Amino acid sequence: MSFMRRMLGGGESDNLRIIITRHGERADFAIGKQWLSKVQQNGSYDPRISHLAERPHFRDWTYDSPLTVEGENQSAHVGKKLLHLGYPIDYCYSSPAYRSVQTATGILESQGRKAVPINIEPGLFECPAWYHGKPLKFIPPEYLAADRRFNINAGYAPMYGGVDESEDERLYYKRSRTLVREIIRAHKRTGGTVLLSGHGGSIEAVTRGLRGMRQRHEKPEHLIQEALRVDYCNFAILERDARTHHWTVRFPDSYNSPYGVQLTQQSVIPLYGPTTEHLNKRGRGRLATALPPARAQRGRTRTRQRYPQARPPRYNQYR
């Protein structure tokens, strides 16, 4: 176990680790819901928006936002941070959402591990109930596999064949729990570090499922309120104890929220910790946890002023 990984606390781990991350900054939240019209007006180009892969119907981008260029940078930063902590990625699963695939690609590329194929797993997608009946449109894996910017495992047989659009948050918890158990079963002999590139709610749902915990005691729909608070590219590192085989979330010794709230492992959601400090070294993008609470709040205000569409109407607040 490397020095940086020992700094994250806990005892000796065995040879299997799970890392869950939210995607980077998304174009529709940062630029506004009319981002696609602006792209079309500029001949399918906008310097703030990352590469758009080919898809069967161009208008489907309305329901499947890409990352901004800043979001791609965030993905690269988080990959380097994980490598610095001693977590090179060995296996990768991604939600079918384009922003999650881009984030996984950025993490792998920044670690010099683009040769690791990305398995497109519909089971990693967020809760469909947050879409309020809006269509779920994803780029088919064969289209992504044909794009040289991505290394997609075209032969991967997903554990979930698709996303059930009628699924509520209770079933979302259940799906996440089942999925992570299947992923562990698939890698229990090989070991290594497994990256799950998902959404804001993934950290909560997968972490609880991995630790054998049920959904929160409050109403399950409160999950969306927690997911809304997750910074872009925030992540959780889970390792299995070699002796007890229990899964633990790794926190540094000083684990302080930038919002002035002391969090513990009992909080379950491993958010806002020092694992996000790499995202804002110069005060750009998302907040750094090293900022004092008052300064962090001012940073959030400036972000809202810069991107007035950063908090869209409720129907569009899916992760």
Side-chain angles (χ1 to χ4, degrees):
M1 182 184 295
S2 71
F3 171 76
M4 290 305 298
R5 281 168 58 185
R6 288 198 301 271
M7 288 291 289
L8 290 175
E12 290 295 324
S13 63
D14 62 11
N15 63 345
L16 184 60
R17 296 159 295 280
I18 303 289
I19 296 176
I20 317 146
T21 183
R22 185 197 175 191
H23 55 76
E25 181 183 71
R26 48 189 293 176
D28 55 350
F29 280 18
I31 300 173
K33 61 182 180 180
Q34 301 301 323
W35 72 272
L36 188 59
S37 299
K38 296 176 182 178
V39 168
Q40 291 178 309
Q41 291 171 4
N42 295 328
S44 298
Y45 174 76
D46 188 310
R48 299 168 295 178
I49 298 175
S50 60
H51 167 72
L52 297 182
E54 182 180 355
R55 64 189 309 155
H57 304 288
F58 188 81
R59 292 301 302 179
D60 286 349
W61 286 115
T62 303
Y63 311 105
D64 188 23
S65 174
L67 298 179
T68 61
V69 171
E70 178 64 20
E72 287 189 315
N73 293 337
Q74 292 168 347
S75 303
H77 291 162
V78 83
K80 293 176 182 176
K81 182 68 172 184
L82 288 169
L83 193 61
H84 176 66
L85 291 173
Y87 295 94
I89 305 302
D90 299 305
Y91 305 97
C92 181
Y93 295 83
S94 174
S95 159
Y98 187 64
R99 55 192 178 276
S100 298
V101 177
Q102 288 180 294
T103 299
T105 298
I107 291 173
L108 293 171
E109 284 185 341
S110 68
Q111 293 192 352
R113 301 180 72 81
K114 192 177 179 181
V116 174
I118 299 173
N119 299 317
I120 304 298
E121 177 52 63
L124 275 172
F125 189 64
E126 57 198 344
C127 180
W130 298 345
Y131 282 68
H132 295 270
K134 291 187 175 299
L136 305 180
K137 301 289 187 178
F138 308 123
I139 300 179
E142 58 269 23
Y143 276 70
L144 291 172
D147 192 319
R148 297 180 61 182
R149 290 177 173 82
F150 306 105
N151 181 16
I152 305 299
N153 182 2
Y156 172 68
M159 301 174 193
Y160 281 83
V163 178
D164 182 0
E165 298 187 20
S166 65
E167 180 185 84
D168 59 16
E169 294 190 1
R170 181 181 60 82
L171 293 176
Y172 171 56
Y173 272 105
K174 181 178 180 181
R175 163 165 56 95
S176 299
R177 183 169 60 249
T178 301
L179 175 67
V180 73
R181 287 177 179 174
E182 289 300 318
I183 290 176
I184 290 171
R185 185 176 292 112
H187 296 284
K188 65 179 180 180
R189 295 186 183 277
T190 61
T193 300
V194 181
L195 173 67
L196 308 182
S197 182
H199 305 266
S202 302
I203 298 178
E204 154 76 353
V206 173
T207 298
R208 280 186 171 267
L210 198 59
R211 300 177 71 191
M213 304 175 72
R214 295 184 179 274
Q215 61 203 40
R216 289 178 165 269
H217 295 302
E218 299 89 351
K219 294 181 179 180
E221 58 266 23
H222 288 180
L223 172 60
I224 190 173
Q225 301 304 323
E226 298 293 344
L228 285 170
R229 302 168 57 203
V230 182
D231 283 338
Y232 289 125
C233 278
N234 208 333
F235 61 87
I237 300 172
L238 297 101
E239 293 186 316
R240 188 169 56 186
D241 186 273
R243 182 177 58 86
T244 65
H245 293 286
H246 292 162
W247 288 89
T248 56
V249 183
R250 298 303 187 192
F251 296 110
D253 291 336
S254 61
Y255 186 65
N256 295 315
S257 166
Y259 310 110
V261 179
Q262 182 69 30
L263 301 180
T264 66
Q265 276 195 333
Q266 284 67 39
S267 300
V268 178
I269 302 182
L271 310 181
Y272 324 124
T275 49
T276 59
E277 64 187 359
H278 59 286
L279 296 182
N280 196 16
K281 294 181 179 179
R282 297 184 180 179
R284 297 165 53 241
R286 287 304 192 187
L287 298 177
T289 57
L291 293 176
R295 201 174 150 202
Q297 291 292 353
R298 289 198 299 271
R300 289 182 72 86
T301 301
R302 285 195 298 269
T303 300
R304 296 293 180 233
Q305 291 173 347
R306 183 181 177 191
Y307 300 130
Q309 297 294 331
R311 188 176 291 279
R314 177 180 174 85
Y315 69 83
N316 205 22
Q317 287 179 339
Y318 47 83
R319 303 275 45 84

